[in-house]
Amino acid sequence: MSRTSAHDARASGIRAMLWGAFVILVIASAPASAQRDTTRRDTTTKRTASDSARIADSIAVVRELERLRAEPRSRDPSRQQPAQGAPTNARLLPDISAVGDLVADLSPKGSTQEGGERFSVREVEVAIQAAVDPYFRGDVFFGISDVEKISIEQAYLTATSLPWGLEVRLGRYLMPVGKQNTTHRHDLHTVDYPYVIQRFLDPEGLKGTGIYASKIFAPFGFYQELVLTAVDRFGEPTEGLVTIEPVNKKLSGLGYSARLRNYWDLSQASNIELSFSAITGDREQPVLGGDPTLGTAARQSVFGTDFTYRWRPLQQGLYKSFILQAELLQQVNAKNPTLELPSGVPPDGLVYGGPTRNFTGGYAFARYQLTRRGYVGARFDSFQDEAAGGSATNAVSGYLEFFPSEFSKLMVGYERYAPAEGSTTNRILLQATFALGPHKPHPF
Amino acid sequence: MRLPSLAIAALGAALVAGPTIGAGTARAQLKVVTSTTDLYDIAKAVGGEKITATHIGEGYQDPHFIEAKPSFVLQLRNADVWAFVGLDLEIGWMPLLLQGARNPKLQPGQPGYVDASRVISVLDVARGNVDRSQGDVHPLGNPHYWLDPENGRRIARLFQETFATLDPKNVSVYDANAKAFTQRLDAAERTWQADLAKIKRQPVVAWHTSWRYFAEYTGMNIVGFMEPKPGVPPSPAHLAGLIQTMKQAGAKVIIMEPFYDKKTADFVAGKTGAKVLVLAPSVGGAKGLDDYIRLMTSGIQQLAAAL
């Protein structure tokens, strides 16, 4: 199949997928709308179950208030009437929360942070979250940092009334590729993402803007979830490179990902998750021998698998737990991409400057709970470094975490970073994070 | 076949599989999932054979810190009723499970979304300004209300009304079961009177605020908590002050749940001559406590014996 016809075939398939997503959203709103209309009609004909429930609730409220009035104990000023008497959020305000992420870099040979700071407010994340209407939920996360100023980290609309256990999101989100990439950086048990995620995906976690569809199922008796996404592009644009056309001009150049999660309970106290991910899309790559800003589009894909074992005895769960986690990713690059050059630029002497081989990397991480508030963790990283022709860069690090409460974390980390080329670096990092606002669910 | 084509094929397969995988809605019994074993036991007592029930937390587990495991999502996916304690007790894990389950029957406002706290006369509702300098506070009130038998009756009535709404053809069964449960509880309560008389006004120390409703019912006088603030582990300075308080008040018992560190309580007991009483806070929290009435009976008997 020629490159053009392959593009066309993919493009038609992708159009079908996007139309499919649109149809799903329409289907999602249809039953909810129908339900509302039915309820209206039934006020004059027959009552639905939800109507009955509301009436029953009203009767229950009246009964309870009558009972409480009659009870001597209800006069106790420390007791309050049943909670349904008054809404707890009468103005329908969204949940607003903030997370501060402070990092100190005390490495002996100078700071290893992006901006060279010894002490920095690495990021403040502000989240605004609420139900939008009966059909959608909205989540918006702003990232504020000295380097990137204010950015939209995530902003997505989630359809909450889809049939068949489907979930669809529209907007920007952390890409469901690998395990740790789906975790906010400040929620990690290490200071930074593993190197393989930083290098193969994005230093601050790979995000994408587009459509996200997920379905849970259990045909074999255990939890499985399939997540598919189509996003504007795979990763951030490469700085300083200009391509003749945007990499996403053709639908085949967009980013596409798939993730299959498999989860098993081994016992009440232990469980494992084994998942598989893939992402592909066109990315800018350099063209050598001419204008240094000249770039061309080339397909890049990342395939990965991740494994997590968790142990937490139920009765002693406040004091003991253990996590073992590992991910293996492979970056697959186009072997002989076609140079897409501006008209009038002769191809003579111009050669593709991007990677044409595959790179593999991974990490293993373990964390053991020492006390109710204290944890010790370690991570080993190894990846084939493109900048060193594929030679391995390794790093080993150790961490001590202390949680004064659920809403603050203090961490000290030591890392020995051995690049494929160059001298070994010792890093000493301190981190403090804090959360303001409503209690958020504990990450799992 | 390249990845985009694979993705399209997989999405199509998932959509096609959807109706079949999610099938099985025709059923004879209501599927009830509860957050705690106490709600589970009362739901079973009211629902009887007309419901199937499961619970997320165990009785010997801290209900604040249950993990939102994907296997729980599967339980909730096809449930008709999700009953929970409320007042933010499950806030650390419930939202993830409900969002993950994608079950429209369990969304707020639906009959299957049962916040049991709405029929409770709540203690310790925050007054004035409240913030986290006061610990892991529950601004809507203390959520450990099931340890007062009056609240057990209220929960039973709530289940009776909920099940009758969702399954009207079995109204008489739910009415009869709820009445039988209340009668059993009334009968048990009459046997507690002698023990309650021993407990009344006796000074005790509790680890967490989870015994506030129990204290309201039994009349025991909580003179201090092991935690300096809700959810905050004991500090040496706090324990030093608590030891003084216990000596002054004559507190003879430290009540704690099985999931806290007993060594700390033993240390305080050693300094004060008090006994450490590990009481199950929920059904299943200790061997043999496999229903709500046994849980209450055991707690009252053990406390009376320790004083």
Side-chain angles (χ1 to χ4, degrees):
Chain A
M1 188 182 283
S2 69
R3 184 178 171 81
T4 306
S5 59
H7 272 307
D8 291 345
R10 279 198 298 273
S12 63
I14 290 154
R15 278 189 208 102
M17 182 179 173
L18 294 174
W19 275 109
F22 176 74
V23 170
I24 289 168
L25 289 175
V26 172
I27 291 171
S29 59
S33 304
Q35 183 181 348
R36 186 175 53 185
D37 290 340
T38 304
T39 305
R40 282 198 199 111
R41 281 195 298 276
D42 285 353
T43 55
T44 55
T45 54
K46 60 181 181 180
R47 289 174 182 142
T48 63
S50 60
D51 285 330
S52 302
R54 276 190 284 274
I55 292 166
D57 280 355
S58 303
I59 295 169
V61 171
V62 172
R63 283 182 188 155
E64 286 305 317
L65 291 175
E66 286 170 350
R67 278 183 56 80
L68 289 166
R69 278 190 213 106
E71 285 178 4
R73 281 200 299 164
S74 67
R75 296 191 198 106
D76 181 342
S78 68
R79 285 181 181 264
Q80 296 290 301
Q81 298 297 321
Q84 78 272 41
T88 54
N89 184 13
R91 298 185 65 83
L92 304 180
L93 295 172
D95 283 347
I96 300 175
S97 58
V99 176
D101 181 1
L102 319 177
V103 172
D105 190 326
L106 306 182
S107 304
K109 292 186 178 176
S111 172
T112 58
Q113 299 304 301
E114 185 181 3
E117 306 93 344
R118 286 292 198 178
F119 294 90
S120 65
V121 179
R122 185 164 66 169
E123 187 178 61
V124 173
E125 182 187 271
V126 176
I128 304 172
Q129 299 170 285
V132 177
D133 55 29
Y135 320 116
F136 296 105
R137 174 178 175 78
D139 295 84
V140 177
F141 298 83
F142 295 106
I144 305 167
S145 68
D146 292 335
V147 176
E148 297 188 357
K149 308 305 176 190
I150 297 179
S151 60
I152 301 171
E153 291 290 304
Q154 298 185 79
Y156 53 86
L157 190 66
T158 304
T160 55
S161 54
L162 292 175
W164 310 326
L166 286 169
E167 181 180 283
V168 171
R169 293 179 185 174
L170 299 173
R172 181 174 302 166
Y173 37 80
L174 282 167
M175 290 296 289
V177 178
K179 183 65 182 172
Q180 290 212 0
N181 192 68
T182 57
T183 304
H184 290 244
R185 185 168 60 176
H186 54 75
D187 280 333
L188 296 172
H189 302 303
T190 54
V191 177
D192 294 305
Y193 284 110
Y195 283 104
V196 68
I197 290 176
Q198 293 188 47
R199 295 299 184 95
F200 290 5
L201 299 177
D202 189 277
E204 296 180 15
L206 182 65
K207 302 169 190 81
T209 306
I211 184 167
Y212 168 117
S214 148
K215 177 169 176 57
I216 54 174
F217 46 94
F220 306 110
F222 60 87
Y223 177 94
Q224 290 185 287
E225 181 181 10
L226 178 66
V227 186
L228 304 174
T229 75
V231 293
D232 186 54
R233 51 170 297 134
F234 176 2
E236 298 284 325
T238 307
E239 286 184 23
L241 285 185
V242 179
T243 54
I244 182 173
E245 293 177 339
V247 294
N248 59 1
K249 182 173 182 182
K250 297 170 185 167
L251 286 176
S252 58
L254 271 60
Y256 298 94
S257 78
R259 177 168 171 78
L260 177 65
R261 291 180 70 196
N262 303 282
Y263 171 91
W264 296 267
D265 278 327
L266 299 179
S267 68
Q268 279 194 320
S270 61
N271 52 73
I272 56 173
E273 181 177 334
L274 178 64
S275 300
F276 306 93
S277 305
I279 182 168
T280 188
D282 283 353
R283 306 190 78 168
E284 296 92 350
Q285 298 293 354
V287 175
L288 305 179
D291 181 350
T293 66
L294 184 60
T296 187
R299 178 159 297 275
Q300 188 173 78
S301 306
V302 175
F303 298 90
T305 182
D306 54 270
F307 168 84
T308 303
Y309 168 80
R310 296 182 191 83
W311 172 78
R312 189 178 177 191
L314 298 192
Q315 187 164 327
Q316 295 90 37
L318 286 178
Y319 304 92
K320 292 180 181 175
S321 65
F322 176 71
I323 293 176
L324 176 64
Q325 189 171 80
E327 286 191 52
L328 186 67
L329 299 180
Q330 184 175 51
Q331 184 189 76
V332 177
N333 292 293
K335 299 295 180 290
N336 188 22
T338 306
L339 291 185
E340 295 174 348
L341 302 174
S343 58
V345 174
D348 302 341
L350 298 180
V351 294
Y352 178 70
T356 54
R357 57 158 286 180
N358 300 340
F359 300 98
T360 303
Y363 72 88
F365 169 74
R367 175 183 184 247
Y368 181 74
Q369 186 172 359
L370 297 168
T371 66
R372 180 164 176 180
R373 299 191 281 187
Y375 298 78
V376 60
R379 191 178 77 197
F380 173 72
D381 292 77
S382 182
F383 65 95
Q384 293 176 320
D385 196 341
E386 178 190 337
S391 299
T393 287
N394 299 313
V396 61
S397 52
Y399 302 88
L400 284 173
E401 275 182 298
F402 179 71
F403 290 81
S405 73
E406 291 180 70
F407 312 100
S408 58
K409 177 178 75 175
L410 305 172
M411 181 154 57
V412 57
Y414 165 76
E415 180 181 277
R416 186 169 176 81
Y417 179 78
E421 294 175 348
S423 58
T424 298
T425 305
N426 292 306
R427 303 176 71 204
I428 298 173
L429 302 168
L430 307 176
Q431 185 189 28
T433 65
F434 59 92
L436 309 176
H439 194 311
K440 295 290 186 69
H442 310 135
F444 181 76
Chain B
M1 187 183 280
R2 299 227 177 157
L3 191 72
S5 306
L6 278 173
I8 293 163
L11 178 62
L15 292 174
V16 170
T20 53
I21 291 170
T25 52
R27 70 204 179 285
Q29 296 172 301
L30 286 177
K31 292 178 183 168
V32 179
V33 182
T34 69
S35 65
T36 66
T37 50
D38 312 288
L39 295 179
Y40 162 83
D41 183 65
I42 298 172
K44 283 290 288 178
V46 174
E49 294 180 352
K50 301 300 178 187
I51 68 165
T52 59
T54 56
H55 51 87
I56 300 294
E58 296 292 343
Y60 46 82
Q61 185 179 17
D62 187 341
H64 300 84
F65 294 99
I66 292 170
E67 290 185 300
K69 297 184 207 174
S71 47
F72 294 144
V73 168
L74 293 182
Q75 288 184 32
L76 288 165
R77 189 172 58 136
N78 296 318
D80 300 301
V81 174
W82 163 241
F84 60 102
V85 172
L87 304 175
D88 289 351
L89 181 73
E90 299 97 341
I91 198 168
W93 50 273
M94 186 177 92
L96 288 179
L97 294 185
L98 288 186
Q99 287 166 26
R102 305 160 192 182
N103 183 342
K105 288 185 282 189
L106 309 186
Q107 298 305 311
Q110 296 300 314
Y113 180 88
V114 180
D115 178 353
S117 72
R118 64 195 177 90
V119 296
I120 302 299
S121 181
V122 177
L123 285 175
D124 302 338
V125 178
R127 291 165 181 271
N129 192 33
V130 59
D131 65 30
R132 292 237 165 77
S133 66
Q134 298 159 32
D136 190 7
V137 289
H138 291 268
L140 300 176
N142 189 317
H144 303 275
Y145 52 76
W146 63 89
L147 289 169
D148 180 337
E150 171 54 24
N151 292 336
R153 292 187 189 92
R154 292 175 183 225
I155 295 166
R157 283 198 297 276
L158 178 64
F159 279 130
Q160 172 202 347
E161 290 165 5
T162 301
F163 297 162
T165 301
L166 292 169
D167 181 22
K169 67 179 183 296
N170 288 312
V171 166
S172 58
V173 175
Y174 301 131
D175 287 350
N177 287 346
K179 192 174 179 184
F181 171 79
T182 302
Q183 287 172 345
R184 288 199 304 276
L185 187 54
D186 291 345
E189 206 170 5
R190 285 192 287 275
T191 69
W192 302 341
Q193 296 310 310
D195 285 332
L196 289 173
K198 288 185 199 167
I199 294 170
K200 197 163 188 176
R201 285 192 285 275
Q202 291 296 313
V204 301
V205 162
W207 188 291
H208 182 62
T209 56
S210 39
W211 302 98
R212 283 278 289 116
Y213 292 89
F214 189 74
E216 285 282 303
Y217 175 71
T218 61
M220 73 180 186
N221 177 23
I222 300 177
V223 297
F225 292 97
M226 291 287 289
E227 292 178 336
K229 293 176 180 176
V232 177
S235 64
H238 174 72
L239 292 181
L242 183 66
I243 288 167
Q244 290 301 316
T245 302
M246 288 178 69
K247 286 177 177 173
Q248 288 167 7
K252 296 175 184 171
V253 170
I254 300 171
I255 300 174
M256 62 173 285
E257 291 86 341
F259 43 79
Y260 289 126
D261 178 18
K262 189 165 178 286
K263 283 182 290 193
T264 311
D266 284 339
F267 169 79
V268 175
K271 297 287 183 186
T272 58
K275 293 178 189 169
V276 176
L277 184 60
V278 179
L279 283 185
S282 285
V283 172
K287 198 171 181 181
L289 303 185
D290 48 8
D291 71 44
Y292 179 74
I293 294 173
R294 283 198 182 97
L295 171 78
M296 293 301 303
T297 303
S298 170
I300 290 166
Q301 288 177 345
Q302 287 190 69
L303 180 57
L307 287 168

